[in-house]
């Protein structure tokens, strides 16, 4: 799968292959993270638009139910006719539609006919029509993508230097078009999904620190969450967070509840065992305490606040792998994993990532660590994955479709050049 971009945030132009291991290196503010967040947004919106369709349909139905209920309340004394309220109140009517579909509406149509309420303006047939009508799938896909942009970028992804420049996003597989999107000033002008994406799910890891923020994550919401009618009445009081953070939080909290449901290959089991050896234990989510616990090999338990962030970096991957979230149909996106890792552990982390790729799990990594990048290169060569490994340099707004390892090393070694200059200045008495 190949992603091509023009005028996205800091990126003037990019062409990136997502096949096996993809590494994007570069300094801060060069657009590395934008690639990952955009891919996450596209994959999640493509897989979630059906939920969006149902949510929009439910909004229309709830609005009509409320209107009908208020019309009925003007004509009927509910205290003397409690069955009216039980049938037509917003909560009970919408609940029954969810459970029984059009049968719930037909039941109420018969009730109105029996009670001779035809003079009252209750348009149940309109509600039934909305429930049964075919949805506009293309529009739903576009709206889902819009919501993902708001969640991940607050709706702002177009390059701001020239307001007349078109922003384009293209995904292809060999010669086959998969997706084409055009925006102007962050407004979608075209959205064409020609075929299925190569991935049905994506997981974006920005920081393992979220383990110690699990309680706060539980009370947050995103633009993609499904709400009951009652939840929507309270939604204004809940903080809004990016979808990728909430998505990861949900996945690692579910893991130990569903661990036994997934059959794992011998190779994956070996990777899990090696991971447990690296951190000398494992992490578990304890629902009663609403916190993650680290359990050492000796059986000692520690809460998330008292565990090094580097340990948690391995723990998050361990949990995702253990419950089957990471597989050949998913894309794992990791943003600058080296931030919390000692150089020696960066090598261990890189070795582990390469083993995932060898087991057909696609991984996109952004990094500005020469240790991490060289380790990924060496381990992928050792596993004969040269044909499934691509390195890119993000520089001056360009992310090119070619391996540029030497340029990457030169760019990331510039601080050492500065040290040599300082040493030279000292020797020359400056």
């Amino acid at each position: 799968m190949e992603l091509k971009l023009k005028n996205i945030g800091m990126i003037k132009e990019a062409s990136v292959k997502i096949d096996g291991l993809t590494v994007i290196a570069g300094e801060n503010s060069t657009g590395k993270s934008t690639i990952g967040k955009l891919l996450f947004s596209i994959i999640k919106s493509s897989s979630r638009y059906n939920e969006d369709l149902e949510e929009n349909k439910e909004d229309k139905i709830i609005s009509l139910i409320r209107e009908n209920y208020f019309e009925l309340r003007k004509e009927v004394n509910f205290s003397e006719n409690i069955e009216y309220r039980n049938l037509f109140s917003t909560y009970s009517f919408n609940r029954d539609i969810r459970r029984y579909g059009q049968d719930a509406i037909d039941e109420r149509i018969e009730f109105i006919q029996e009670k001779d309420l035809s003079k009252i303006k209750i348009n149940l047939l309109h509600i039934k029509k909305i429930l049964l009508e075919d949805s506009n799938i293309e529009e739903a896909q576009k709206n889902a993508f819009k919501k993902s942009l708001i969640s991940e970028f607050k709706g702002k992804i177009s390059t701001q230097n020239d307001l007349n420049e078109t922003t384009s996003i293209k995904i292809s597989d060999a010669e086959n078009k998969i997706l084409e999107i055009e925006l102007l000033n962050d407004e979608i002008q075209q959205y064409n999904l020609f075929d299925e994406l190569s991935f049905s799910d994506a997981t974006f890891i920005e920081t393992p620190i979220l383990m110690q923020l699990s309680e706060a994550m539980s009370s947050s919401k995103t633009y993609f969450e499904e709400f009951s009618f009652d939840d929507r009445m309270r939604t204004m009081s809940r903080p809004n967070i990016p979808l990728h953070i909430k998505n990861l939080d949900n996945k690692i909290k579910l893991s130990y509840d569903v661990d036994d449901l997934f059959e794992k290959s011998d190779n994956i089991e070996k990777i899990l065992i090696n991971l447990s050896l690296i951190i000398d234990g494992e992490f578990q989510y304890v629902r009663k305490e609403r916190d993650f616990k680290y359990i050492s090999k000796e059986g000692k338990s520690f809460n998330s606040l008292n565990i090094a962030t580097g340990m948690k970096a391995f723990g998050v991957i361990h949990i995702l792998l253990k419950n089957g979230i990471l597989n050949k149909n998913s894309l794992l996106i990791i943003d600058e994993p080296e931030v919390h890792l000692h150089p020696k552990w960066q090598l261990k982390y890189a070795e582990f990532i390469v083993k995932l790729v060898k087991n057909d799990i696609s991984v996109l990594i952004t990094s500005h660590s020469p240790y991490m990048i060289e380790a990924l290169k060496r381990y992928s060569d050792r596993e004969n994955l040269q044909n499934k490994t691509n390195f890119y340099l993000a520089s001056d707004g360009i992310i090119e479709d070619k391996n540029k390892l030497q340029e990457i090393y030169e760019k990331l070694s510039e601080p050492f050049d500065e040290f040599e200059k300082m040493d030279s200045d000292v020797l020359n008495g400056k």
Side-chain angles (χ1 to χ4, degrees):
M1 187 176 91
E2 185 174 11
L3 173 70
K4 290 189 176 183
L5 306 175
K6 281 189 178 180
N7 304 320
I8 302 283
M10 303 295 294
I11 301 171
K12 298 174 187 175
E13 193 167 345
S15 182
V16 178
K17 288 183 180 178
I18 310 298
D19 177 24
L21 175 62
T22 303
V23 182
I24 304 177
E27 299 177 350
N28 292 327
S29 298
T30 53
K32 302 189 306 297
S33 299
T34 299
I35 296 285
K37 289 182 179 179
L38 186 62
L39 268 171
F40 174 84
S41 299
I42 290 169
I43 293 168
K44 295 305 288 188
S45 63
S46 177
S47 62
R48 292 284 299 269
Y49 77 88
N50 276 322
E51 287 89 340
D52 201 45
L53 274 176
E54 293 305 313
E55 185 178 313
N56 289 337
K57 186 178 287 189
E58 185 178 355
D59 283 339
K60 293 178 183 178
I61 288 173
I62 287 175
S63 178
L64 281 172
I65 288 174
R66 285 170 61 83
E67 289 178 18
N68 287 338
Y69 181 63
F70 295 148
E71 286 292 332
L72 185 61
R73 195 168 64 184
K74 293 174 184 177
E75 304 292 334
V76 177
N77 185 339
F78 286 162
S79 60
E80 296 178 359
N81 300 275
I82 192 66
E83 59 184 324
Y84 288 83
R85 175 175 283 154
N86 292 339
L87 279 173
F88 292 96
S89 72
T90 307
Y91 173 79
S92 61
F93 198 169
N94 186 52
R95 177 201 62 202
D96 287 353
I97 289 176
R98 283 184 171 188
R99 289 178 180 175
Y100 310 116
Q102 65 174 318
D103 289 344
I105 303 173
D106 291 339
E107 177 190 5
R108 286 158 176 82
I109 290 174
E110 290 177 11
F111 180 86
I112 286 177
Q113 292 171 344
E114 289 175 4
K115 299 294 183 180
D116 193 23
L117 297 173
S118 56
K119 294 180 181 178
I120 301 174
K121 296 178 181 178
I122 300 179
N123 196 348
L124 298 180
L125 292 178
H126 192 186
I127 295 174
K128 187 173 180 178
K129 180 182 177 183
I130 292 172
L131 182 68
L132 299 178
E133 70 183 1
D134 291 331
S135 301
N136 187 329
I137 294 176
E138 184 176 335
E139 191 65 24
Q141 291 171 339
K142 185 197 296 186
N143 288 337
F145 179 66
K146 249 187 226 180
K147 287 167 70 174
S148 70
L149 292 187
I150 294 171
S151 179
E152 294 300 309
F153 302 94
K154 294 193 174 179
K156 303 291 183 183
I157 65 166
S158 298
T159 301
Q160 300 300 308
N161 296 334
D162 186 348
L163 296 179
N164 294 316
E165 282 189 317
T166 299
T167 294
S168 69
I169 302 165
K170 295 181 180 180
I171 294 178
S172 60
D173 201 350
E175 299 300 317
N176 299 299
K177 291 182 180 180
I178 305 298
L179 175 68
E180 290 186 356
I181 304 172
E182 284 195 3
L183 303 94
L184 183 62
N185 303 333
D186 295 312
E187 292 295 325
I188 298 175
Q189 305 298 308
Q190 291 185 36
Y191 185 99
N192 298 310
L193 184 62
F194 301 103
D195 204 345
E196 296 179 60
L197 295 174
S198 302
F199 304 103
S200 58
D201 188 33
T203 302
F204 188 109
I205 302 176
E206 185 172 12
T207 172
I209 291 176
L210 67 84
M211 270 192 173
Q212 65 203 51
L213 302 174
S214 59
E215 188 170 352
M217 295 298 101
S218 297
S219 62
S220 63
K221 64 181 176 68
T222 77
Y223 284 95
F224 268 102
E225 277 191 81
E226 296 178 54
F227 299 109
S228 68
F229 177 70
D230 290 338
D231 287 336
R232 292 179 194 182
M233 299 300 101
R234 298 189 295 269
T235 190
M236 294 300 292
S237 64
R238 299 175 63 193
N240 205 0
I241 62 172
L243 176 61
H244 74 267
I245 295 177
K246 185 73 170 179
N247 178 259
L248 178 59
D249 179 63
N250 288 340
K251 285 174 176 175
I252 60 177
K253 282 178 179 174
L254 285 173
S255 59
Y256 283 87
D257 293 342
V258 297
D259 177 34
D260 295 332
L261 298 177
F262 297 96
E263 184 178 344
K264 304 173 188 68
S265 68
D266 291 341
N267 287 338
I268 295 298
E269 289 289 2
K270 287 177 183 177
I271 294 174
L272 287 167
I273 291 169
N274 288 336
L275 264 175
S276 295
L277 290 173
I278 292 172
I279 61 177
D280 197 30
E282 64 179 26
F283 284 85
Q284 296 182 10
Y285 181 66
V286 181
R287 196 165 298 282
K288 288 183 179 178
E289 299 183 32
R290 293 193 291 185
D291 192 13
F292 288 89
K293 296 284 186 179
Y294 168 74
I295 314 297
S296 71
K297 290 293 185 184
E298 294 78 26
K300 295 181 180 179
S301 176
F302 304 87
N303 64 43
S304 59
L305 282 172
N306 296 325
I307 299 299
T309 308
M311 292 270 283
K312 289 191 279 249
F314 283 93
V316 168
I317 300 283
H318 188 272
I319 292 173
L320 291 171
L321 189 62
K322 191 171 183 180
N323 82 346
I325 292 294
L326 305 181
N327 54 63
K328 65 180 181 180
N329 296 316
S330 68
L331 175 65
L332 174 61
I333 304 164
I334 312 174
D335 192 43
E336 299 178 354
E338 67 271 7
V339 171
H340 303 289
L341 297 172
H342 183 279
K344 287 174 68 174
W345 270 29
Q346 289 185 37
L347 270 61
K348 288 285 187 185
Y349 197 93
E351 182 181 15
F352 162 66
I353 292 300
V354 169
K355 286 179 179 177
L356 292 183
V357 175
K358 191 174 182 180
N359 283 275
D360 297 322
I361 296 172
S362 295
V363 182
L364 167 64
I365 285 185
T366 65
S367 176
H368 44 43
S369 166
Y371 301 109
M372 176 67 71
I373 293 163
E374 184 159 359
L376 289 167
K377 170 61 176 171
R378 288 178 180 268
Y379 286 122
S380 60
D381 285 349
R382 192 177 73 178
E383 299 292 346
N384 296 314
L385 294 174
Q386 295 92 335
N387 293 332
K388 295 189 69 176
T389 305
N390 295 285
F391 291 85
Y392 299 87
L393 175 64
S395 181
D396 299 323
I398 305 296
I399 302 177
E400 292 186 281
D401 183 20
K402 63 179 73 171
N403 289 334
K404 307 186 75 173
L405 271 173
Q406 188 57 43
E407 290 184 43
I408 290 171
Y409 293 143
E410 288 174 2
K411 193 73 175 176
L412 298 183
S413 66
E414 286 178 358
F416 295 101
D417 296 337
E418 185 64 26
F419 291 152
E420 288 182 6
K421 183 178 181 300
M422 292 168 68
D423 289 340
S424 176
D425 288 345
V426 170
L427 289 174
N428 293 322
K430 293 184 181 179

